[in-house]
């Protein structure tokens, strides 16, 4: 049986620099594990991947290379230096190569690493990125392993590997629910607010206090606010598709060119600013992924600023969002490579819908209904990044899913019958994701990714640089 999911490890996090949680953050965490296997410091890393997976088209353009090399050298993923990781590697005399093969792979985000230390000792590591920055190391040298990075693990010939995730696994946890179905049965017996269940769950799952959970959630909210402020301050980065555009919303309002809906225009502006922070390599929160990093914060922060909602209420909303994301990750996926963009921006929309329902005083049933309706509206949404970058159509989908969240919260709060319970919608979401063809699951091989203009933009970009 798989371990219960941590809200902060996987859903409201990691805190990272862009562009991709499935690629940049996950590769970073794989690099952190690999670094612990080196006894004498790194000399060379060879990365092998299959054409049947996503890495040949995303290794450079979506940050796998950046994350992996930073993890191997110990540079924090939030650090400014990560932007210069290729230059740092060259200065240190380190070697790196990507080897593409036609071997079958069981997961699209499969890494096979051959790392060599300064004394010529080789170590083989096989790992996968499972979505939202989470990983699973499945083999080290001749040993089959199952390392997710939240426990201490002793490996023969290597030693003890330390946890790399912020919340460690409490193997004595007594959790009353681990998925949406269990929660739907459990919550009517206790009748608490959604955020309270999230607080209790994460405290028990990680063996930490409820006060600790609250403070971590507060810090995540602050990071989201800082990402927004960074974007609103203006961003400049050469190697990206879209430059700064958030200011066009205020200009359009001033000229009376836009429909006069202040909340709608604020959400659009905030989503633009947060995505611009990400695309300029700023620090963001993957919630639940980097590609969908603007959905939840643009909805929560726009409503808070529009209506003067206090910080504690926003923290409660964020915790409610985290619980919904946990349910989605448990019985479906938050990886676009596995389930299309419904798994990323779509999941973010369900999370944000519950957050807004919580913010407006909704009970747990209303939060679940809001999330269910939001997810029903996005089933089948594909992932087809233009020029293989995590910028567009990600931007439009972040905005659309934030607005879907607001509408879905209002639907639930008004008492409209949403028909299908959340647990069943998540199962349908999982089945739908499996039915989406691989070309439309973040491989850059279908949809908008292969339009003439997309290919022209891709050709004009220097693929050795990152967003």
């Amino acid at each position: 049986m798989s371990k219960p999911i941590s809200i902060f490890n996987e859903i409201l996090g990691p805190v990272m620099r862009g562009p991709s949680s499935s690629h940049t953050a996950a590769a970073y965490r794989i690099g952190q594990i690999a670094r612990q296997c080196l006894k004498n410091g790194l000399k060379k890393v060879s990365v092998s991947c299959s054409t049947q997976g996503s890495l040949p088209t995303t290794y450079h353009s979506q940050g796998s290379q950046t994350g992996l090399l930073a993890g191997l050298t110990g540079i924090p993923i939030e650090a400014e230096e990560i932007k210069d990781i290729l230059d740092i590697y060259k200065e240190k005399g380190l070697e790196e190569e990507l080897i593409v093969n036609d071997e079958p792979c069981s997961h699209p985000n499969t890494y096979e690493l051959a790392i060599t230390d300064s004394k010529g000792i080789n170590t083989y590591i096989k790992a996968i990125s499972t979505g939202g920055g989470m990983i699973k190391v499945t083999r080290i040298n001749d040993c089959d392993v199952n390392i997710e990075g939240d426990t201490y693990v002793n490996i023969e010939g290597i030693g003890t590997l330390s946890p790399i995730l912020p919340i460690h696994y409490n193997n004595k946890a007594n959790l009353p629910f681990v998925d949406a179905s269990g929660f739907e049965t459990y919550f009517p017996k206790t009748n608490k607010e959604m955020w309270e269940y999230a607080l209790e769950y994460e405290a028990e799952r990680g063996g930490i206090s409820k006060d600790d959970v609250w403070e971590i959630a507060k810090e995540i909210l602050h990071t989201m606010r800082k990402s927004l402020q960074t974007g609103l301050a203006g961003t400049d980065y050469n190697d990206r598709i879209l430059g700064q555009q958030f200011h066009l919303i205020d200009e359009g309002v001033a000229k009376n060119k836009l429909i006069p809906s202040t909340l709608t225009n604020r959400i659009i502006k905030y989503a633009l600013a947060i995505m611009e922070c990400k695309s300029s390599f700023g620090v963001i929160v993957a919630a639940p992924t980097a590609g969908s990093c603007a959905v939840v914060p643009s909805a929560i922060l726009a409503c808070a600023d529009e209506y003067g909602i206090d910080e504690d209420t926003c923290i409660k909303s964020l915790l409610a969002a985290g619980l919904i994301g946990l349910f989605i990750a448990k019985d479906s996926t938050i990886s676009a490579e596995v389930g299309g963009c419904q798994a990323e921006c779509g999941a973010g929309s369900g999370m944000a819908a519950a957050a807004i329902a919580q913010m407006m005083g909704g009970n747990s049933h209303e939060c679940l209904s809001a999330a269910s309706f939001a997810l029903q509206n996005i089933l089948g949404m594909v992932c087809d990044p233009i020029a293989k970058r995590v910028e567009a159509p990600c931007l439009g989908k972040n905005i659309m899913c934030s607005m879907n969240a607001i509408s879905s919260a209002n639907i639930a709060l008004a008492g409209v019958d949403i028909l299908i319970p959340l647990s069943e919608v998540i199962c349908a979401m999982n089945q739908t994701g499996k039915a989406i063809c691989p070309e439309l699951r973040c491989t850059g091989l279908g949809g908008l990714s292969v339009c003439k203009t997309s290919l022209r933009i891709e050709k004009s970009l220097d693929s050795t640089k990152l967003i």
Side-chain angles (χ1 to χ4, degrees), residues 36-55:
Q36 295 185 58
C37 297
L38 295 168
K39 296 184 182 299
N40 305 292
L42 178 67
K43 175 60 179 176
K44 179 180 178 179
V45 56
S46 295
V47 184
S48 296
C49 59
S50 171
T51 55
Q52 297 182 24
S54 66
L55 290 177

Side-chain angles (χ1 to χ4, degrees), residues 72 164 252 281 306 318 334 350 410 413 447:
L72 281 166
I164 58 167
F281 240 108
E306 187 74 16
L318 191 59
I334 56 171
N410 277 348
L413 292 169

Side-chain angles (χ1 to χ4, degrees), residues 95-424:
E95 302 173 45
E96 177 254 353
E97 64 176 343
L98 177 67
I99 302 170
V100 178
N101 58 57
D102 293 322
E103 298 295 322
C105 61
S106 58
H107 192 283
N109 293 338
T110 301
Y111 294 74
E112 292 190 67
L113 309 181
I115 53 177
T116 305
D117 70 14
S118 59
K119 292 189 177 180
I121 299 174
N122 297 312
T123 303
Y124 170 80
I125 297 173
K126 186 175 183 179
I128 58 175
S129 160
T130 58
M134 294 299 287
I135 65 166
K136 183 177 291 186
V137 178
T138 59
R139 192 168 185 83
I140 297 180
N141 291 332
D142 296 326
C143 299
D144 289 327
V145 297
N146 183 15
I147 300 173
E148 297 178 355
D150 59 356
T151 58
Y152 289 91
V153 181
N154 187 60
I155 305 298
E156 184 178 354
I158 298 293
T160 300
L161 304 181
S162 300
I164 58 167
L165 300 180
I167 305 298
H168 297 177
Y169 174 51
N170 173 23
N171 59 10
K172 297 180 180 179
N174 182 22
L175 297 167
F177 60 86
V178 295
D179 56 20
S181 179
F183 182 72
E184 288 166 349
T185 301
Y186 176 73
F187 86 83
K189 302 174 184 177
T190 51
N191 197 31
K192 297 179 182 178
E193 292 187 33
M194 194 79 171
W195 71 271
E196 294 179 283
Y197 293 113
L199 195 77
E200 293 171 0
Y201 174 97
E202 191 70 354
E204 182 68 20
R205 195 273 181 201
I208 57 179
S209 71
K210 293 180 184 178
D211 287 343
D212 287 338
V213 175
W214 180 270
E215 289 303 315
I216 294 170
K218 179 191 284 189
E219 185 58 35
I220 288 171
L221 181 68
H222 289 175
T223 302
M224 288 177 167
R225 175 67 76 176
K226 290 175 185 175
S227 299
L228 172 61
Q229 292 169 342
T230 297
L232 294 176
T235 56
D236 183 26
Y237 198 77
N238 290 331
D239 192 45
R240 60 179 178 178
I241 301 172
L242 297 171
Q244 179 181 305
Q245 298 184 103
F246 79 87
H247 61 282
L248 298 176
I249 304 304
D250 285 343
E251 292 175 10
V253 170
K255 295 174 182 177
N256 293 318
K257 294 181 67 176
L258 308 186
I259 295 172
S261 172
T262 56
L263 177 60
T264 296
N265 290 325
R266 189 187 289 271
I267 287 174
I268 296 171
K269 174 182 171 181
Y270 282 15
L272 279 163
I274 293 168
M275 290 296 283
E276 287 165 15
C277 172
K278 180 190 73 70
S279 69
S280 61
F281 240 108
V283 175
I284 51 96
V285 178
T289 70
S292 60
C293 69
V295 180
V296 171
S298 65
I300 290 177
L301 297 176
C303 286
D305 293 349
E306 187 74 16
Y307 304 118
I309 294 169
D310 64 89
E311 182 176 84
D312 282 359
T313 299
C314 291
I315 294 170
K316 293 175 182 178
S317 299
L318 191 59
L319 286 166
L323 197 57
I324 296 298
L326 181 153
F327 296 152
I328 295 170
K330 173 62 174 64
D331 286 331
S332 184
T333 181
I334 56 171
S335 171
E337 292 83 1
V338 177
C341 197
Q342 62 164 19
E344 297 199 11
C345 288
S349 192
M351 292 167 60
I356 300 307
Q358 173 71 69
M359 180 178 284
M360 300 307 294
N363 57 37
S364 292
H365 173 73
E366 290 165 333
C367 289
L368 289 176
S369 294
S372 174
F373 194 74
L375 291 179
Q376 290 178 46
N377 297 338
I378 53 78
L379 289 188
M381 187 162 64
V382 303
C383 181
D384 51 349
I386 293 172
K388 300 183 178 68
R389 303 297 181 105
V390 192
E391 290 187 74
C394 317
L395 171 61
K397 290 174 180 176
N398 273 258
I399 294 170
M400 177 189 72
C401 287
S402 295
M403 297 306 304
N404 179 44
I406 301 297
S407 300
S408 298
N410 277 348
I411 285 285
L413 292 169
V416 174
D417 189 352
I418 54 89
L419 295 177
I420 311 297
L422 178 64
S423 58
E424 294 181 32

